[in-house]
């Protein structure tokens, strides 16, 4: 059994075959999934998906690449929405993306701070997207954790060792995607080895980043199996051991998500 802790089932890529995709996930042993919000404006669509599929849960938040579009969303809006819906089990994704650089760092930081405050108030985990922004992200995590701890996940980890260390130090979880399985990802696998077992998560970030076995194809939650296999390998464990570890971790950090 596995949990895909980060996918985007509301994207148009999945529209026509969502039933099949959820069924294939279950058949592969992926018993539950968290479909992640990228725009608060589109929350209704996400909630409709979680209502249709009992095994699908969701988050609420604004992706850093959309930060400037949702500066009207305040901390209290996020808190109110998260508290109003039982299927919302996380805040985000939010963060800093200096790779795509479509939004100003100032707008991205504003959004990030509001979401951190919402995670602190609700106790729901903050799903953090960090790309080409290691130093700023480490600085913000350290400063904000100092003001009051909040649960968080460094999702789709592709940053440097130092950010992983900072995240773990402040109680964070580190989630690995298909990137872990790519031949060139030696450095990411080295970092994965250093993350304590009780902080590891797996995800697909589908429809992006299909793992090696399905590289080049559109990704989907059932493919998270390949990432868990490689993560097991990295830690010298069996697949079943790693599946149990990451699943137990998922239910610990996504504390609002029931085990079905
Ligand atoms: Zn992301
Ligand atoms: Zn994502």
């Amino acid at each position: 059994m596995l949990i895909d802790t980060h996918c985007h089932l509301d994207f148009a890529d999945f529209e026509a075959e969502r039933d099949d995709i959820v069924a294939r996930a279950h058949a592969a042993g992926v018993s539950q999934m968290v479909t992640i919000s990228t725009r608060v404006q589109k929350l209704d669509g996400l909630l409709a998906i979680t209502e249709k599929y009992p095994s699908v849960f969701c988050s609420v938040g604004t992706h850093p690449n959309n930060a400037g579009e949702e500066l009207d969303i305040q901390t209290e809006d996020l808190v109110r929405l998260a508290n109003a819906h039982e299927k919302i089990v996380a805040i985000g994704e939010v963060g800093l993306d200096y790779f795509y650089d479509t939004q100003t760092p100032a707008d991205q930081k504003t959004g990030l701070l509001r979401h951190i405050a919402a995670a602190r108030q609700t106790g729901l985990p903050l799903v953090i997207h960090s790309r080409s922004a290691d130093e700023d992200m480490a600085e913000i995590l350290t400063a904000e954790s100092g003001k009051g701890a909040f649960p968080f996940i460094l999702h789709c980890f592709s940053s440097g060792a130092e950010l992983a260390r900072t995240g773990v130090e402040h109680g964070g979880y580190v989630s690995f995607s298909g990137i872990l399985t790519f031949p060139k990802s030696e450095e990411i696998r080295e970092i994965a080895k250093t993350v304590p077992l009780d902080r590891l998560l797996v995800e697909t970030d589908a429809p992006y980043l299909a793992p090696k076995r399905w590289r080049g194809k559109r990704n989907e939650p059932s493919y998270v199996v390949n990432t868990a296999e490689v993560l097991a390998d990295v830690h010298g464990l069996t697949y079943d051991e790693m599946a149990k570890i990451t699943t137990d971790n998922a239910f610990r950090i996504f504390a609002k998500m029931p085990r079905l």
Side-chain angles (χ1 to χ4, degrees):
M1 175 176 158
L2 285 175
I3 309 296
D4 182 359
T5 62
H6 191 120
C7 56
H8 295 284
L9 295 184
D10 61 326
F11 284 17
D13 308 66
F14 294 126
E15 196 70 58
E17 43 169 329
R18 213 174 278 126
D19 288 356
D20 294 340
I21 281 162
V22 172
R24 280 202 292 274
H26 293 165
V30 181
S31 56
Q32 291 173 225
M33 312 133 254
V34 187
T35 185
I36 299 293
S37 169
T38 56
R39 280 187 175 86
V40 177
Q41 290 159 29
K42 293 195 170 176
L43 184 64
D44 286 348
L46 268 194
L47 285 169
I49 292 170
T50 67
E51 273 149 29
K52 181 162 185 204
Y53 305 102
S55 61
V56 179
F57 295 78
C58 75
S59 66
V60 59
T62 308
H63 192 287
N65 293 345
N66 306 324
E69 296 169 32
E70 296 203 329
L71 290 174
D72 55 322
I73 307 287
Q74 303 292 335
T75 299
E76 46 272 31
D77 298 316
L78 297 166
V79 170
R80 177 175 42 77
L81 289 166
N83 286 336
H85 298 281
E86 62 176 11
K87 293 215 95 177
I88 297 180
V89 298
I91 304 290
E93 62 183 290
V94 69
L96 302 175
D97 193 326
Y98 297 166
F99 181 80
Y100 282 114
D101 199 23
T102 62
Q103 307 289 316
T104 65
D107 285 353
Q108 296 186 46
K109 285 177 188 173
T110 298
L112 175 57
L113 293 177
R114 289 176 185 172
H115 285 65
I116 288 174
R120 210 185 268 124
Q121 284 179 39
T122 57
L124 298 178
L126 186 73
V127 178
I128 297 176
H129 172 112
S130 184
R131 193 158 180 207
S132 307
D134 289 28
E135 279 183 28
D136 282 7
M137 183 57 74
E139 198 182 303
I140 290 172
L141 284 178
T142 301
E144 288 297 312
S145 295
K147 294 179 195 165
F150 58 95
F152 67 91
I153 297 162
L154 293 172
H155 114 84
C156 195
F157 192 83
S158 58
S159 304
E162 189 60 40
L163 184 57
R165 213 171 9 249
T166 303
V168 168
E169 189 186 313
H170 295 300
Y173 287 61
V174 185
S175 182
F176 292 95
S177 68
I179 293 176
L180 183 80
T181 69
F182 299 165
K184 281 185 180 162
S185 296
E186 252 335 304
E187 193 189 331
I188 300 295
R189 285 187 289 275
E190 282 306 312
I191 293 169
K193 210 179 280 184
T194 70
V195 175
L197 290 175
D198 64 356
R199 303 296 182 81
L200 292 168
L201 296 170
V202 287
E203 65 170 273
T204 55
D205 207 9
Y208 309 119
L209 297 166
K212 189 177 166 205
R213 189 175 306 145
W214 295 279
R215 187 123 196 219
K217 291 188 69 177
R218 182 201 60 193
N219 201 1
E220 62 173 65
S222 62
Y223 296 174
V224 76
V225 167
N226 194 195
T227 299
E229 288 166 352
V230 172
L231 192 58
D233 236 40
V234 161
H235 275 272
L237 298 172
T238 66
Y239 173 78
D240 286 345
E241 286 166 338
M242 187 52 82
K244 183 178 183 335
I245 286 167
T246 58
T247 298
D248 287 347
N249 292 346
F251 285 114
R252 192 180 323 111
I253 181 78
F254 292 96
K256 190 176 164 187
M257 179 168 71
R259 252 183 214 260
L260 300 179

